[in-house]
Amino acid sequence: MATGFVHYDCHRNCGEQAANDPDGKSRQVTGWLPHGEDLILHSVAIIGNQWIYLTPQLVPARNRFEFIPDPLLEWRKADGGATWTAFRHGNEVPKALRRDPGRHIRMRDEFQALVTRGHSVIEARDS
């Protein structure tokens, strides 16, 4: 945090690193960080040939983690230039995706069917 990077704001930190690198050796790479059943929108920096996670953590984090670069993501200014938003094929990208959305849709349908048959929401959730 002494470097001025903001905790839990990887996109800003990596973007600022790339924009303010006097040698031009830094590049922001955006992609997906697998976390449980979700994929979290995430950015890291490549400085020279080294991949670096620049974002300070308030809790201990692993030194190595899985990261899936997505070369089709692009950043566009939003809110009159005050913020940046990620887009893919012209569509705004959510901050997280489900790895298996079909499974979650089936779970929702099963839950709703149980409630419709008279189960309480607690019973439906726990089954």
Side-chain angles (χ1 to χ4, degrees):
M1 304 233 325
T3 61
F5 293 131
V6 178
H7 60 82
Y8 303 122
D9 199 346
C10 60
H11 310 302
R12 175 180 166 188
N13 295 334
C14 293
E16 286 184 5
Q17 172 65 33
N20 296 313
D21 181 354
D23 299 324
K25 294 181 180 179
S26 299
R27 183 168 60 95
Q28 177 179 0
V29 178
T30 304
W32 303 99
L33 176 69
H35 181 73
E37 294 190 28
D38 297 328
L39 297 170
I40 309 298
L41 186 65
H42 188 61
S43 288
V44 297
I46 297 179
I47 302 174
N49 291 323
Q50 190 172 19
W51 293 67
I52 301 174
Y53 182 62
L54 296 176
T55 304
Q57 301 295 299
L58 298 177
V59 296
R62 298 186 331 246
N63 288 336
R64 294 184 176 266
F65 56 89
E66 186 178 0
F67 176 70
I68 306 164
D70 188 341
L72 299 178
L73 290 171
E74 64 174 305
W75 289 97
R76 297 181 187 172
K77 287 191 175 191
D79 302 323
T83 62
W84 290 86
T85 302
F87 284 80
R88 192 171 201 271
H89 298 300
N91 298 304
E92 187 173 339
V93 175
K95 292 186 179 9
L97 300 170
R98 296 284 186 199
R99 283 192 194 207
D100 185 355
R103 178 177 171 275
H104 287 273
I105 291 168
R106 289 188 301 278
M107 289 170 50
R108 180 209 59 203
D109 293 346
E110 291 169 13
F111 174 84
Q112 289 176 336
L114 288 169
V115 171
T116 299
R117 289 196 302 265
H119 290 65
S120 74
V121 291
I122 302 297
E123 292 169 333
R125 179 200 67 193
D126 292 342
S127 65

